[in-house]
Amino acid sequence: MRTTLTAAGVAATALIALAGCSADSDADATDESSAGATTEATADAGAAAGADWPEEITLALIPNENVTDLVTTVAPLTDYLSEQLGITVEGVVTQDYQAAVEAIGSGQAQIAIADAGSLAAAEDMYGAHAVLQDVRFGASQYASMFFTNNPDKYCDDEPVMATYGATGQEFLYCNGTAEGEDNSGVGPVAVDALSKIEPGTTVAFGNTTSPAGYQLPVLALEEQGVNIDDLQQVPVTGNDTLLMAVYNGDAEVGFAYWDARSSIDAAEVADLGEKVVVFGLSEMYPNGGVVLSDELPEDLRTEITTLMDGFSEVDPETLQEIFDQTDWVPADAAAIDLAREVNSRFSGQ
């Protein structure tokens, strides 16, 4: 899951580090038969727009573990947009989400693929337009899950084994968070169970910019009257290390996106789903997505949105490789407002 940008930090600290992605890679990765059906109509639309459309625009995204892989992966998308729009779309890799938003604000990029907090920040700071949200495992939103190695304390019922549909793995859940095949990960569920966390309890938090690992849990804890300064905080980076901190007993409670237990190799930690029990789910938080600069003509923004929205039918393999997602759907303004609320609460951290 992506980490969230805090709005105040963007303007003050974001550093642009753009590295060009080649737009000349082999376009065979794109499904030519699907793309061909729309090529002529889109090209006509681009021609009709005339001088109102720029000759070149830039799409910014952040690096994955291997920047070279991302450069290779995104080329089919930028090639597809270039062909369909009739203008050059160049891909660039930015240092982080803050830099992607700053690239939109400074005119160095006109399209950014970023997390939800960045979508909200780009709208608020630069008048940009959040147009699409990512879809993963059939959903455009996700919850933070609360998990523990002490179910006797945090579970009001006997933990039950339920199937995580995305992988078919079985894990333990309690307090009505899941049952059998009914395991959607939709919150909020059993948030009041957080009130059982006592001062001095060891709690594993993720990075302060992580919605699932820190921000959503902190908001939920505060709603339950728990002062996080009274807790023995175990700061870690990464959902796998959050889980292992609780599994190994370094923390009694931890937080991560639902259901991050699937990210741990079952061959290495076979009993993770039994020792680490989910006892609650937070409010839903929006996935990231696509934001467009207000500098782009409105008809061009509409065309880009339509093309990217339909990219899952043209080249689902590339979309999966970019950010491990299956689709883009129209952005939900109310969901982006929640990201905006989180930005406001955690500005300056």
Side-chain angles (χ1 to χ4, degrees):
M1 293 295 115
R2 299 174 181 171
T3 55
T4 293
L5 169 71
T6 56
V10 178
T13 63
L15 299 177
I16 307 299
L18 303 180
C21 303
S22 172
D24 298 324
S25 62
D26 188 353
D28 289 344
T30 301
D31 184 345
E32 294 180 359
S33 61
S34 299
T38 59
T39 299
E40 291 185 6
T42 311
D44 289 344
D52 289 340
W53 287 17
E55 295 182 0
E56 181 175 335
I57 59 176
T58 298
L59 183 154
L61 29 64
I62 69 161
N64 58 8
E65 294 180 358
N66 187 321
V67 176
T68 302
D69 286 348
L70 184 60
V71 170
T72 302
T73 299
V74 77
L77 173 60
T78 53
D79 290 347
Y80 162 75
L81 291 174
S82 297
E83 179 182 359
Q84 300 299 309
L85 294 171
I87 60 178
T88 300
V89 179
E90 182 75 14
V92 298
V93 174
T94 66
Q95 177 178 307
D96 51 30
Y97 288 129
Q98 293 183 184
V101 173
E102 282 298 292
I104 290 287
S106 65
Q108 295 185 39
Q110 291 72 44
I111 310 171
I113 299 175
D115 68 316
S118 298
L119 304 188
E123 287 189 329
D124 294 345
M125 297 172 63
Y126 301 116
H129 305 269
V131 295
L132 298 171
Q133 284 179 244
D134 309 336
V135 174
R136 293 184 179 83
F137 308 123
S140 61
Q141 301 181 64
Y142 64 95
S144 169
M145 67 178 192
F146 320 147
F147 51 92
T148 184
N149 52 27
N150 188 2
D152 290 342
K153 178 178 178 180
Y154 296 99
C155 295
D156 292 332
D157 53 11
E158 188 70 21
V160 297
M161 196 68 73
T163 302
Y164 178 55
T167 63
Q169 294 170 274
E170 292 192 331
F171 304 116
L172 282 179
Y173 303 82
C174 70
N175 295 340
T177 52
E179 186 172 352
E181 297 294 328
D182 184 12
N183 186 9
S184 64
V186 176
V189 179
V191 177
D192 58 351
L194 293 174
S195 64
K196 299 178 181 181
I197 298 178
E198 302 167 339
T201 301
T202 52
V203 178
F205 287 106
N207 188 286
T208 58
T209 60
S210 169
Y214 185 83
Q215 295 172 342
L216 295 175
V218 168
L219 290 175
L221 286 163
E222 291 176 345
E223 289 176 358
Q224 296 302 314
V226 178
N227 187 342
I228 64 170
D229 292 332
D230 293 337
L231 307 178
Q232 186 176 338
Q233 299 184 32
V234 181
V236 295
T237 301
N239 292 282
D240 54 347
T241 50
L242 283 164
L243 287 159
M244 293 309 297
V246 173
Y247 176 84
N248 291 326
D250 298 322
E252 182 174 279
V253 173
F255 307 100
Y257 69 85
W258 171 86
D259 191 312
R261 288 176 294 183
S262 63
S263 67
I264 304 294
D265 189 342
E268 297 181 5
V269 192
D271 58 349
L272 178 72
E274 299 174 8
K275 287 190 174 181
V276 177
V277 181
V278 170
F279 67 90
L281 296 169
S282 74
E283 295 278 355
M284 301 298 286
Y285 188 82
N287 290 347
V290 179
V291 63
L292 303 179
S293 170
D294 190 53
E295 295 179 356
L296 294 176
E298 183 177 358
D299 60 341
L300 178 53
R301 294 200 306 268
T302 299
E303 197 65 33
I304 292 170
T305 301
T306 300
L307 289 170
M308 295 185 73
D309 187 19
F311 190 64
S312 61
E313 298 179 8
V314 175
D315 190 355
E317 182 177 350
T318 291
L319 190 60
Q320 183 73 35
E321 290 175 351
I322 292 176
F323 284 123
D324 193 27
Q325 68 190 65
T326 56
D327 202 359
W328 275 304
V329 295
D332 182 337
I336 302 301
D337 279 342
L338 175 58
R340 183 171 286 109
E341 177 185 338
V342 171
N343 281 356
S344 177
R345 167 62 180 81
F346 294 98
S347 294
Q349 288 206 26

